[in-house]
Amino acid sequence: MIEEVIDVKGKNLFIKFNHSFENKPTIVFLHDSLGTVQLWRDFPEKLAEATQCNVLVYDRLGYGKSFPMITHERENNYMELEADVLNDLLSELNINDVILFGHSDGGTIALLAASKYPEKVKAVICEAGHIFVENITVKGVEEALNAYNTTNLPQRLEKYHGNKVEMIVKAWTEIWLSEKFRTWNIESFLKNITSPLLFIQGEADEYGTLEQVEKTVAQVTGTAEKFIIPNVGHTPHKESPDIVLNKSIEFINSVIN
């Protein structure tokens, strides 16, 4: 597994990359709003090994071992811009056949990338992604911000993000709690998704209702499957790793074999 920081059109991004399998797609992992390469733990390697696929995991700008953001300020289209960065990263690494596995913000970015760059995307696994803003999501972000201000959460995040923690927390919470973001909606992109889609969601997700799943699978053009896990919250791959791993293996094998 190669680990390095590479320059992607002026953005210095940390990547972990393994390209061991000829003529096999690369599974690209897209982390959540406070995530990093490290926080995926060994899940990417397990999925890649089980499906005999290549794997790419990276920290978005501002996160983990990537360079800091220039500013914490974001516009409503910030996840669409991240889909463009992903496309630039794939071009830089000469990767043209990918299966996207995105969690939360990463799930939304995966949907946007599949919509904008369908020629590169073979399939999508979207875990707890969002396509519009719900009250439950705003409440979840408010509670996370309160935890940041009243618990040892800053110190726990520092372990992964170093001195960039305050910047990424502001970047995430300020846009999601802003009045202008209440109108954010990416449903218009969904019809352009032609690759197979697996949408995984915990039934007890504290950041979104099952309406996110239903409206997504109903509007994509390609085949779409939903996988709802009872008694699981916003991070199924951590809360029920074996269930998510086995379902993901099944889905990927159905796409590549």
Side-chain angles (χ1 to χ4, degrees):
M1 187 82 83
I2 297 167
E3 296 188 22
E4 61 181 342
V5 173
I6 65 169
D7 185 325
V8 181
K9 291 195 173 178
K11 296 178 175 68
N12 289 285
L13 305 179
F14 173 73
I15 66 167
K16 280 180 73 175
F17 183 38
N18 185 17
H19 195 276
S20 302
F21 302 105
E22 289 292 325
N23 303 315
K24 282 294 189 82
T26 300
I27 306 173
V28 182
F29 284 84
L30 305 163
H31 63 72
D32 62 301
S33 52
L34 298 178
T36 66
V37 166
Q38 276 182 286
L39 284 166
W40 284 106
R41 302 195 177 98
D42 62 353
F43 188 89
E45 287 87 347
K46 283 183 173 177
L47 184 55
E49 188 177 333
T51 55
Q52 298 287 281
C53 286
N54 303 299
V55 62
L56 170 65
V57 198
Y58 74 101
D59 290 328
R60 294 196 295 278
L61 191 71
Y63 296 84
K65 296 177 183 176
S66 290
F67 280 32
M69 301 172 183
I70 297 165
T71 173
H72 72 275
E73 293 178 359
R74 286 173 167 170
E75 297 302 323
N76 282 17
N77 67 341
Y78 80 93
M79 285 183 276
E80 188 183 338
L81 298 178
E82 289 292 353
D84 297 336
V85 174
L86 169 59
N87 181 59
D88 292 338
L89 173 60
L90 296 176
S91 297
E92 183 70 28
L93 295 171
N94 197 27
I95 300 173
N96 300 301
D97 185 21
V98 300
I99 295 169
L100 301 177
F101 190 120
H103 171 236
S104 194
D105 265 19
T108 302
I109 294 163
L111 293 173
L112 288 163
S115 170
K116 296 185 75 173
Y117 306 102
E119 69 284 354
K120 290 185 180 178
V121 180
K122 193 178 194 76
V124 178
I125 299 175
C126 175
E127 182 188 37
H130 297 93
I131 58 169
F132 56 90
V133 180
E134 295 181 287
N135 290 334
I136 188 175
T137 320
V138 174
K139 183 170 180 286
V141 176
E142 286 173 343
E143 289 175 357
L145 181 58
N146 183 57
Y148 179 78
N149 289 326
T150 59
T151 71
N152 69 340
L153 181 57
Q155 289 74 34
R156 298 200 330 261
L157 290 171
E158 203 172 295
K159 178 180 171 185
Y160 302 102
H161 303 285
N163 61 6
K164 302 187 292 289
V165 172
E166 186 178 357
M167 182 83 89
I168 63 168
V169 170
K170 281 180 108 172
W172 174 46
T173 58
E174 284 191 12
I175 187 67
W176 275 90
L177 298 180
S178 68
E179 194 57 42
K180 69 179 181 180
F181 202 66
R182 293 309 292 249
T183 60
W184 173 80
N185 186 305
I186 63 159
E187 288 180 81
S188 62
F189 287 88
L190 298 177
K191 65 182 183 297
N192 298 322
I193 299 176
T194 55
S195 54
L197 167 70
L198 171 64
F199 202 131
I200 299 172
Q201 181 127 334
E203 201 168 32
D205 192 326
E206 60 273 32
Y207 286 95
T209 71
L210 296 181
E211 196 175 357
Q212 302 283 348
V213 185
E214 300 294 347
K215 286 195 168 182
T216 301
V217 299
Q219 293 181 75
V220 296
T221 301
T223 58
E225 178 184 0
K226 58 188 178 184
F227 186 64
I228 311 303
I229 310 173
N231 306 312
V232 163
H234 189 57
T235 52
H237 70 274
K238 287 183 182 173
E239 296 169 59
S240 296
D242 291 342
I243 291 173
V244 174
L245 184 65
N246 290 334
K247 183 63 183 179
S248 300
I249 292 167
E250 176 193 301
F251 173 73
I252 290 173
N253 283 337
S254 74
V255 170
I256 64 177
N257 294 328

